Amino acid sequence: MATEHSPLIPQQAKPPVSRPKVRRRRSSFDPSTYNSIGNTIVSTTSASDEEGTRRKGDGLDLLQILGLTICMAGVQFTWTVELSYGTPYLLSLDLSKELTALVWLAGPLSGLIVQPLIGAFSDKCTSRFGKRRPFIVVAGLLTCLSMVGVAYAREFGNWIAHQLYTTQLEEKAHLFAIVVAVSSFYFLDFTLNAVQAICRALILDIPPLWQQEYANAWSARMSNSAMVIGYFVGFIDLVTYAPWLGDSQIKCFCIVAIVVFIAALAVTCVCVKETPYTEEQQQQQQQEDQKWFSTLKYIWRAFRFLPKPIQSLCNTQFFAWMGWFPFLFYSTQWVSDLYFATHPSGDWAEGTRAGSFALLCNSIVSVIAGVVMPAVVSRYGSQHNLLSLLNVYTASQLIIAGCLLSAWFIESVSVATVALGIMGIPWAIVLWIPFSLVGEYVSFEDEHRKTGEEAEFDAGMILGVHNMYIVFPQFAVAIISSLIFYVASSGNVGVVLAFGGLMALVAAVMSRYIVRVKQA
């Protein structure tokens, strides 16, 4: 009997797609290299036989999974530098709040442009080092250079001013410091998004179908753990405890992040073995890509003709992130406003720390949920339908809706902190289940390549288009939030959060229509 926990469908039960298959090359990742599922799909395999096969060791062991997913810890730790210190650092350079808001457009722009492109180009890469590793190395080095630019923007601005001018050096140095800082933040967003896209594609490529849920659960655990550690490291007075790292908090934090980032990517690059192309495969790929616009056509085709399992997930993700972005943008401000409403003479720093403490609680809960939830679903999901992946995902959207809608009438900092802490549970789920569902389909396609069928799209492209459905809501929320603040003259942030709760309710309904590839 099949289970939802380890979906694998027979040849005659292919998921529907919107158009006939387009011939695509074979992926450079051969699951058989990693002792994954065999060279063919056998539809008559019983559940007991399959479990026995798994126990014999086909697939990745725990150390291989850790080596594969630790790259996500390095990526998330680096994100905490920007998320926790980005705005205060830019304001410390006397950049206006209006221009600071424009700087944060780098996030959705980079997600919209970089991830689909980098996914498509890496899918077509024929390097003997593998199709993902070269992009990880190059984008990783550029990310480190970006962090150096952020940390030493003042020093670079001062040096440029002295090289170009002899008068008004102080004003020119300040101007160039802002230019270097803003440029570095934009570059950091673009390069870090590239690394994140490749790392996620790698996690989809390597494990066999039945391990996708397991691998993506570990990816979420790595991200959540790195987020907590990153916020904690940023909270420590690094200048006092490690003055040799730099004379400012941002310098010290960036240096620590660079070390963690390089170490995490190095472990993944060393531990994960990619299967290089043969000469015949390289020649075939060169013939397919001889036109310069072939990659753009590939991206358009993927966006226009997504397979039904991926399209149904993307539709749900669009509304789910319409709920998440109000939380990510305004939760700290909401707690801070509540603090000043109850402490009219309170200190600005105390209000900011109240919001930061709420996010720290959220991160801790997300780490615990990231460990507990996958284990519970893995053990009991096949026995109790209520604990299936889709039901857990729907429940997470209902939790988001309840917490965010409650922001409309919450008036206490402590109650708000509890609500944001509870949001850590669905945050752990959103970093796990959607990517598991994408991984199921990618692995299903990879297994069918072994039967002589050609996959329509590769992992990098599917993941890139999936990310576009996460980026679009960021633009939409920014515009809608501005309209809400304009209409609601009181500027109540709780109204924006309540709007996110309504969007989460829509996502909960749409999640019931997600199409999965299922095990026979």
Side-chain angles (χ1 to χ4, degrees):
M1 179 66 64
T3 64
E4 184 174 342
H5 166 58
S6 54
L8 182 63
I9 67 176
Q11 298 178 21
Q12 65 270 22
K14 288 191 64 177
V17 294
S18 55
R19 70 184 187 89
K21 294 284 187 180
V22 174
R23 178 175 175 80
R24 292 289 302 152
R25 61 170 175 77
R26 183 183 178 87
S27 172
S28 64
F29 290 88
D30 185 357
S32 61
T33 305
Y34 297 89
N35 296 320
S36 58
I37 305 173
N39 293 327
T40 58
I41 298 178
V42 181
S43 59
T44 57
T45 302
S46 66
S48 60
D49 291 339
E50 181 184 341
E51 292 298 327
T53 303
R54 292 181 189 177
R55 286 194 295 268
K56 291 179 181 178
D58 62 343
L60 307 183
D61 58 31
L62 179 58
L63 288 179
Q64 290 173 313
I65 290 290
L66 295 179
L68 173 65
T69 58
I70 195 173
C71 57
M72 293 304 298
V75 170
Q76 188 61 48
F77 190 94
T78 307
W79 277 124
T80 61
V81 176
E82 183 174 346
L83 294 174
S84 58
Y85 279 88
T87 298
Y89 180 60
L90 292 173
L91 293 176
S92 72
L93 295 174
D94 297 326
L95 194 68
S96 66
K97 290 184 178 180
E98 292 78 9
L99 292 177
T100 301
L102 293 179
V103 173
W104 292 118
L105 284 177
L109 285 175
S110 60
L112 185 64
I113 298 172
V114 172
Q115 294 213 16
L117 283 175
I118 206 73
F121 281 117
S122 65
D123 283 342
K124 297 170 178 288
C125 180
T126 58
S127 170
R128 63 187 180 90
F129 298 105
K131 65 179 182 179
R132 310 295 186 195
R133 186 181 286 108
F135 288 87
I136 290 178
V137 172
V138 173
L141 291 176
L142 293 176
T143 299
C144 293
L145 292 178
S146 303
M147 284 192 285
V148 171
V150 169
Y152 292 90
R154 286 190 172 91
E155 285 76 5
F156 283 125
N158 186 61
W159 181 82
I160 294 173
H162 279 79
Q163 295 299 313
L164 300 179
Y165 299 93
T166 56
T167 60
Q168 298 181 323
L169 291 179
E170 185 174 347
E171 294 181 6
K172 300 297 183 183
H174 179 257
L175 175 62
F176 282 115
I178 293 177
V179 172
V180 172
V182 172
S183 302
S184 297
F185 267 114
Y186 262 83
F187 204 53
L188 176 61
D189 263 315
F190 276 75
T191 57
L192 193 54
N193 257 303
V195 176
Q196 180 172 274
I198 297 302
C199 290
R200 282 177 171 168
L202 193 62
I203 294 171
L204 297 186
D205 282 325
I206 301 302
L209 178 62
W210 61 270
Q211 275 195 321
Q212 283 295 325
E213 180 184 331
Y214 182 60
N216 281 280
W218 269 107
S219 174
R221 291 166 187 164
M222 290 289 185
S223 296
N224 291 330
S225 300
M227 183 170 58
V228 172
I229 296 172
Y231 285 136
F232 180 74
V233 171
F235 177 75
I236 298 174
D237 188 353
L238 296 175
V239 178
T240 300
Y241 293 102
W244 45 273
L245 289 176
D247 57 3
S248 67
Q249 183 77 358
I250 188 68
K251 289 180 183 177
C252 296
F253 201 3
C254 282
I255 296 301
V256 173
I258 289 173
V259 173
V260 173
F261 183 70
I262 292 177
L265 294 189
V267 170
T268 295
C269 287
V270 171
C271 293
V272 176
K273 307 300 180 183
E274 302 184 52
T275 304
Y277 272 128
T278 63
E279 183 177 348
E280 179 182 353
Q281 289 172 322
Q282 289 179 353
Q283 292 175 353
Q284 178 185 355
Q285 185 61 35
Q286 290 170 359
Q287 292 175 357
E288 291 179 357
D289 300 334
Q290 56 185 344
K291 296 182 179 180
W292 65 272
F293 54 83
S294 60
T295 297
L296 296 180
K297 290 177 62 178
Y298 179 37
I299 294 174
W300 169 250
R301 191 170 71 247
F303 187 76
R304 179 66 180 83
F305 301 108
L306 278 178
K308 195 169 282 187
I310 302 300
Q311 185 67 70
S312 61
L313 174 63
C314 288
N315 294 340
T316 304
Q317 284 284 79
F318 179 86
F319 289 99
W321 284 93
M322 286 284 285
W324 273 113
F325 280 119
F327 164 79
L328 295 174
F329 288 165
Y330 299 110
S331 57
T332 304
Q333 185 65 41
W334 175 52
V335 176
S336 181
D337 289 348
L338 291 177
Y339 176 84
F340 289 119
T342 54
H343 302 76
S345 59
D347 180 53
W348 177 84
E350 289 295 329
T352 304
R353 278 195 289 270
S356 299
F357 177 74
L359 285 184
L360 180 60
C361 293
N362 173 273
S363 301
I364 293 173
V365 172
S366 70
V367 170
I368 298 173
V371 174
V372 174
M373 290 301 299
V376 171
V377 172
S378 175
R379 182 166 183 176
Y380 300 107
S382 60
Q383 304 172 19
H384 305 283
N385 189 49
L386 287 176
L387 293 176
S388 67
L389 279 183
L390 291 185
N391 286 338
V392 170
Y393 186 55
T394 301
S396 72
Q397 297 304 314
L398 295 176
I399 293 174
I400 297 170
C403 291
L404 294 184
L405 287 172
S406 67
W408 212 327
F409 52 83
I410 288 178
E411 298 180 353
S412 167
V413 172
S414 58
V415 176
T417 301
V418 171
L420 295 186
I422 294 174
M423 288 283 287
I425 298 174
W427 180 250
I429 292 172
V430 79
L431 294 179
W432 159 44
I433 290 181
F435 294 100
S436 294
L437 297 176
V438 174
E440 287 178 2
Y441 183 81
V442 170
S443 292
F444 159 76
E445 289 290 333
D446 189 67
E447 291 302 320
H448 272 260
R449 285 191 181 99
K450 299 175 184 296
T451 67
E453 300 181 26
E454 291 294 334
E456 191 170 11
F457 304 110
D458 287 329
M461 190 69 262
I462 288 178
L463 200 59
V465 174
H466 172 259
N467 187 71
M468 293 172 72
Y469 278 83
I470 297 175
V471 170
F472 288 146
Q474 192 167 349
F475 288 105
V477 168
I479 297 172
I480 293 172
S481 299
S482 299
L483 294 176
I484 291 176
F485 285 133
Y486 178 78
V487 174
S489 57
S490 61
N492 185 4
V493 176
V495 178
V496 178
L497 296 179
F499 166 78
L502 292 176
M503 294 297 99
L505 283 177
V506 176
V509 173
M510 297 198 68
S511 68
R512 307 315 303 164
Y513 297 94
I514 293 177
V515 178
R516 291 190 67 187
V517 289
K518 297 181 181 296
Q519 182 182 6

